[in-house]
Each structure stands twice: as structure tokens, then as C-alpha cells.
Amino acid sequence: MLQEELKPFNLVPFDEAERHPRKVSNDALISYAANRYSVPWRYVGQTVELQDERNGRIRIFAQDKFIAEHEKYTGHHEVIFDRKHTEGIRSAAGKPAQLPMPRLVQQALPDVVVRDLSVYEQFLDEAVIQ
């Protein structure tokens, strides 16, 4: 009996995941699916590739080097931030930079003039010029 001796042509399986290029913004974040994810600050201004693993995780690569991984959020307008991505940032004085803290600024309310509504009745009869 004649039997064919076929050999597999590719011993390494294909990677089925798609990579999406993203530019890293000044705040070390990239956007994907209406959310923003952090990357190490050293990549600010560079283009990185985001790979959706389709298992609830996303992985981020810079020139095929793995640089970050996050849980994929299904909501919208969330910021997923890893504090380790800001380690090593120095201020102009050479000291470690502080992360910005939101501040509540107390502002005085503007003065509001209280008038009787009859004051505005005098304008009812004026003609509107177009």
C-alpha cells in the first residue's frame, strides 16, 4: 500500500492576535476602545503597539519588546494607570518628581444682583431690530 509522507510546513504556530499602533501621549497614556492605559514614561512621544489578547488582558510592545500589560476594561473613559510606569521621573532639580495631586481651589462666589422682575417689564414693549 502506498502511503504519502507529508511534513508540516510550519513548525511555529501563527500568532493570531492583531497589534494596533498607538502614540504615547505626554501623560504616558495610550488610548484603546474608549479607555486610556499607561505605559512606562520613557516611551512618551513614541509609537507602541497594543495587542488585545481577547482574554481580558491587553499587552503593549515597543519594537517587539514587551513593556506593559493591563486588564482590559469594558467601560468607557476609564484611565488604567500603573504607578510603576512613572518611577524614575526626575524634576528639574534632580529630585524624584511628585505625581500631580488634584487641588480643591476655594473660589468666592460672584455677587449676584437681586432685582424685582418688574424692572424687566419695561423691555417688553421695545422693538427687536433685525
Side-chain angles (χ1 to χ4, degrees):
M1 175 171 184
L2 185 61
Q3 190 173 19
E4 293 184 34
E5 295 181 25
L6 299 176
K7 296 179 183 177
F9 67 94
N10 186 14
L11 301 176
V12 179
F14 291 104
D15 188 8
E16 295 179 23
E18 294 179 17
R19 288 192 180 177
H20 307 278
R22 295 291 188 265
K23 186 167 182 178
V24 181
S25 63
N26 289 341
D27 52 5
L29 296 171
I30 60 172
S31 63
Y32 179 69
N35 292 310
R36 300 182 76 205
Y37 298 90
S38 68
V39 299
W41 64 272
R42 291 174 188 86
Y43 296 96
V44 166
Q46 297 182 30
T47 300
V48 297
E49 292 181 322
L50 180 139
Q51 181 172 308
D52 187 345
E53 297 292 328
R54 293 184 174 88
N55 64 358
R57 308 288 298 167
I58 61 166
R59 300 182 74 183
I60 303 163
F61 297 86
Q63 299 175 351
D64 290 327
K65 176 185 171 190
F66 171 74
I67 61 170
E69 183 175 30
H70 293 282
E71 178 181 339
K72 182 180 177 185
Y73 277 70
T74 56
H76 296 300
H77 310 294
E78 297 289 332
V79 175
I80 299 83
F81 194 84
D82 184 346
R83 286 190 175 272
K84 292 178 186 174
H85 292 160
T86 59
E87 288 178 358
I89 296 177
R90 299 264 176 201
S91 68
K95 297 178 183 176
Q98 297 287 328
L99 291 177
M101 296 288 291
R103 295 183 182 177
L104 177 61
V105 178
Q106 295 291 342
Q107 294 180 350
L109 295 175
D111 292 332
V112 178
V113 177
V114 178
R115 297 183 183 135
D116 187 65
L117 293 179
S118 62
V119 173
Y120 299 101
E121 289 179 3
Q122 66 183 348
F123 301 111
L124 288 176
D125 295 330
E126 289 189 14
V128 177
I129 301 172
Q130 294 184 2

